[in-house]
Amino acid sequence: MRMSKTEAAANTLRSELGFQGGAVNEKELRKVLERKGYFLFYYPFGNDSFSGAALQDHNVKVIVINSSHTLGRQNFTLCHELAHFQLHNIKNHIDGITPINKEKEKEADYFASCFLMPHDEVIKFVEDNNSKKLDLITAMKVSAFFRVSFQAAVIRLAQILHIKKIPEDLLNASPVKAARLLDLSPELYESNNEIYWSSTSYILLAYEALQKGKISTGKFLKMMEEIGHDGYEVLDNLKGRD
Ligand SMILES: [Zn+2]
């Protein structure tokens, strides 16, 4: 079955990236992906704008995330874009802008959902919490533990618990209010407008290439200039670190 293939791909990637049981922390995932050569770019493009993009130039894979959206949604988007690379070998895709087959979008969502909330992990979590049901408290706990939006948690719980119709009041619940009532941190349900990009890993990779003689000093300086850094200054700082 197609869906189970997607789930298997998500589980495989999870273990390949070194995530065992439990939740995937976004900071940890960021580091792991950067070590694998991904470049990540977070920018507040506005609440009504696209959620993310998967771009590839030669061997460089770039994932763009709109940090105007809530942190929970950003975490999901990151894995959605990862799915486009893993499953669809996509070169240039901006979600909600580049036309794409709806099935691929659904598949990327399902992959993200399985990657962040693996079936067995969710079952274990709800059993440990004695709440194997789809209600506000369980969904909030799953959301907070697995670091996803409330909505993503509701959808995944409904899938895993084989619930065909999600109660209307649950879909309309405010996670910010619920977080306050349950004494959970609201950070996942708010935007953080983060501006971030993987320049550190880019600089370190370039420096390593320079040290190994794979690129010339001229090339290194040019690369630094392209990302808005003074190459001589970067070299001084890095030499000081050695
Ligand atoms: Zn997409």
Side-chain angles (χ1 to χ4, degrees), residues 3 7 106 109-110 113-114 117 119 134 152-164 166:
M3 280 311 199
E7 184 158 21
K106 271 196 207 158
D109 277 344
Y110 189 57
S113 186
C114 296
M117 295 169 280
H119 178 276
L134 180 60
V154 167
I155 293 171
R156 187 65 176 142
L157 268 171
Q159 275 168 0
I160 289 177
L161 302 176
H162 308 290
I163 293 162
K164 294 237 161 47
I166 298 170

Side-chain angles (χ1 to χ4, degrees), residues 51-54 77 80-81 84 88 90 93-96 98 100-101 104-106 108-109:
S51 50
T77 301
H80 173 105
E81 302 309 331
H84 283 319
H88 309 137
I90 265 172
H93 170 67
I94 304 174
D95 269 294
T98 323
I100 187 173
N101 170 325
K104 283 189 177 162
E105 280 305 281
K106 271 196 207 158
D109 277 344

Side-chain angles (χ1 to χ4, degrees), residues 222-241:
K222 191 160 182 296
M223 284 168 80
M224 293 305 109
E225 195 190 317
E226 278 167 0
I227 59 164
H229 284 281
D230 177 336
Y232 292 106
E233 222 171 80
V234 173
L235 278 177
D236 277 348
N237 287 335
L238 287 172
K239 275 177 191 153
R241 248 176 46 129

Side-chain angles (χ1 to χ4, degrees), residues 7-173:
E7 184 158 21
N11 288 338
T12 305
L13 183 68
R14 212 180 196 262
S15 38
E16 268 173 24
L17 296 180
F19 292 102
Q20 307 296 327
V24 172
N25 180 281
E26 64 274 6
K27 294 260 154 46
E28 214 29 61
L29 179 59
R30 190 182 281 188
K31 271 193 238 155
V32 171
L33 290 176
E34 286 176 344
R35 255 183 259 133
K36 293 260 172 199
Y38 279 91
F39 287 90
L40 309 177
F41 179 54
Y42 287 72
Y43 192 83
F45 291 101
N47 209 14
D48 296 330
S49 194
F50 68 99
S51 50
L55 313 164
Q56 184 166 3
D57 184 24
H58 299 286
N59 287 327
V60 182
K61 289 175 177 161
V62 182
I63 294 178
V64 182
I65 305 288
N66 184 354
S67 61
S68 301
H69 292 157
T70 67
L71 178 60
R73 185 166 168 194
Q74 291 177 43
N75 293 343
F76 194 88
T77 301
L78 177 57
C79 299
H80 173 105
E81 302 309 331
L82 253 186
H84 283 319
F85 282 125
Q86 291 286 320
L87 309 172
H88 309 137
N89 197 18
I90 265 172
K91 293 274 183 276
N92 283 301
H93 170 67
I94 304 174
D95 269 294
I97 294 181
T98 323
I100 187 173
N101 170 325
K102 277 213 178 85
E103 281 305 306
K104 283 189 177 162
E105 280 305 281
K106 271 196 207 158
E107 204 175 25
D109 277 344
Y110 189 57
F111 180 97
S113 186
C114 296
F115 183 91
L116 292 168
M117 295 169 280
H119 178 276
D120 296 355
E121 295 298 324
V122 174
I123 291 286
K124 186 177 176 297
F125 181 80
V126 292
E127 279 174 354
D128 287 352
N129 280 275
N130 278 326
S131 56
K132 212 172 162 187
K133 52 188 179 289
L134 180 60
D135 59 15
L136 180 80
I137 295 178
T138 310
M140 281 303 292
K141 281 185 182 168
V142 166
S143 150
F145 181 77
F146 291 98
R147 309 214 38 89
V148 295
S149 70
F150 171 70
Q151 204 200 14
V154 167
I155 293 171
R156 187 65 176 142
L157 268 171
Q159 275 168 0
I160 289 177
L161 302 176
H162 308 290
I163 293 162
K164 294 237 161 47
K165 199 170 172 355
I166 298 170
E168 197 77 20
D169 58 336
L170 201 54
L171 287 171
N172 296 327

